[in-house]
Amino acid sequence: MTEDNGYAKTAPTRAEVDAFAGATVLEFGTDWCGYCQGAQRHIAASLAQAPQLRHMKIEDGPGRPLGRSFRVKLWPTLIFLRDGVEVARVVRPIDARAVDEGVTALAAAPGGSPSINR
């Protein structure tokens, strides 16, 4: 399920994220970030091919503990999780293919779903 709206101001805790079941994409960034705005069409194009993925857009910045726990340094950063464990990361995607690689890594991870194979 892809969210097309802006980045959420509130985030789950790291413990909640670690307990997620299935495939999840965490997207860290901000609504005012030019890189984030420029990447949205690429992210949307790739994730539209896997609508069953949980996609969470989370505002990041100083004092935001979830982004710090994943050592996010640049925006947007997409963290691809399978059952709460990171299996891939894409930083500042310049095309949909970069995001596709993260989705493919989710499918290849143990417990991966054939429904998200590319």
Side-chain angles (χ1 to χ4, degrees):
M1 75 181 108
T2 300
E3 292 179 13
D4 291 327
N5 47 2
Y7 291 90
K9 306 284 188 236
T10 59
T13 65
R14 180 61 190 256
E16 291 169 330
V17 170
D18 290 344
F20 283 164
T24 303
V25 180
L26 299 179
E27 178 184 341
F28 291 95
T30 67
D31 292 326
W32 53 261
C33 167
Y35 291 106
C36 300
Q37 294 166 3
Q40 289 309 300
R41 65 186 171 105
H42 305 306
I43 295 168
S46 180
L47 297 184
Q49 303 302 311
Q52 72 285 3
L53 292 178
R54 177 188 300 132
H55 176 209
M56 301 176 72
K57 294 175 70 171
I58 301 168
E59 184 174 281
D60 190 42
R64 306 277 182 161
L66 188 60
R68 302 297 66 74
S69 74
F70 281 101
R71 300 187 189 281
V72 171
K73 298 199 184 294
L74 298 172
W75 303 324
T77 293
L78 288 83
I79 309 287
F80 295 82
L81 305 168
R82 165 71 61 198
D83 297 326
V85 177
E86 182 176 342
V87 297
R89 176 180 297 234
V90 175
V91 179
R92 290 191 175 168
I94 58 171
D95 56 29
R97 187 175 27 198
V99 182
D100 290 346
E101 291 172 8
V103 174
T104 299
L106 277 174
S113 169
S115 63
I116 61 172
N117 284 338
R118 295 286 169 121

